[in-house]
Amino acid sequence: MAEKGEPALKSPGDSGKVKAPDPLELRLEQDLPENTTCLSDCEVVDILKKFQETMVALSIEPPGSFDRGLEYAQRNRLYDNAQTVKQILEPLKQHGVSDGELCMIANFRLESVDEVFALVPSLKTKKSMLIVPLENVLAELAKLRRAA
């Protein structure tokens, strides 16, 4: 009988060490405070533009950091329509893909399902049920992608 905390079965050559969690697993959402939301770059641009319009209407001069943040988000976004991107990604939620994982997919120019699993290793546990939906999502996102 195995001692408490020890594996019940050992294979030949097994040192008995417990495997540490993979450091590449996406833990972004676990590290964020409650009531926070992950946003894609195209969503950030939409929010910052609305905020900028409000500041202009109120005659408030935005700080330089605001302008730099907006510029960064505009330069790095891949899509112009955040709502359409969210609709395309929505079917992945039915397969347990988190908001943080969806943002990773939306923020990078991914060409293949293999690239998705390389970028977001936490999805590998759902690989068999995600291959076809990911192929569909990537094809739809490629149609929307902005010209570089």
Side-chain angles (χ1 to χ4, degrees):
M1 181 176 245
E3 294 281 330
K4 186 176 180 180
E6 286 185 24
L9 299 172
K10 291 184 179 182
S11 61
D14 187 357
S15 65
K17 293 182 181 178
V18 177
K19 183 183 174 200
D22 186 351
L24 297 177
E25 293 281 326
L26 181 64
R27 289 182 175 71
L28 173 69
E29 290 171 320
Q30 295 169 0
D31 294 338
L32 292 174
E34 288 184 38
N35 300 322
T36 57
T37 303
C38 293
L39 298 171
S40 65
D41 291 334
C42 55
E43 291 173 298
V44 170
V45 169
D46 287 350
I47 291 168
L48 292 179
K49 280 185 174 182
K50 287 177 186 171
F51 190 66
Q52 184 180 46
E53 290 169 6
T54 302
M55 286 191 295
V56 168
L58 297 173
S59 300
I60 298 172
E61 183 68 29
S65 58
F66 176 86
D67 291 335
R68 287 189 300 276
L70 177 57
E71 182 183 311
Y72 173 85
Q74 286 177 319
R75 183 178 58 242
N76 290 303
R77 72 179 171 167
L78 296 173
Y79 312 101
D80 289 321
N81 190 324
Q83 194 60 35
T84 303
V85 172
K86 284 181 86 164
Q87 288 173 350
I88 290 170
L89 294 170
E90 189 65 30
L92 296 177
K93 281 188 163 190
Q94 297 169 0
H95 297 284
V97 179
S98 72
D99 288 335
E101 293 164 333
L102 292 175
C103 286
M104 300 263 314
I105 294 168
N107 285 344
F108 292 91
R109 186 181 299 270
L110 301 170
E111 302 291 334
S112 71
V113 172
D114 289 336
E115 287 180 348
V116 173
F117 292 120
L119 178 68
V120 190
S122 56
L123 294 179
K124 288 180 182 177
T125 60
K126 306 168 191 152
K127 188 173 184 174
S128 62
M129 67 177 163
L130 282 176
I131 291 175
V132 172
L134 277 171
E135 287 172 345
N136 295 336
V137 163
L138 293 177
E140 290 300 312
L141 290 175
K143 293 176 191 175
L144 286 181
R145 202 168 289 133
R146 299 172 74 225

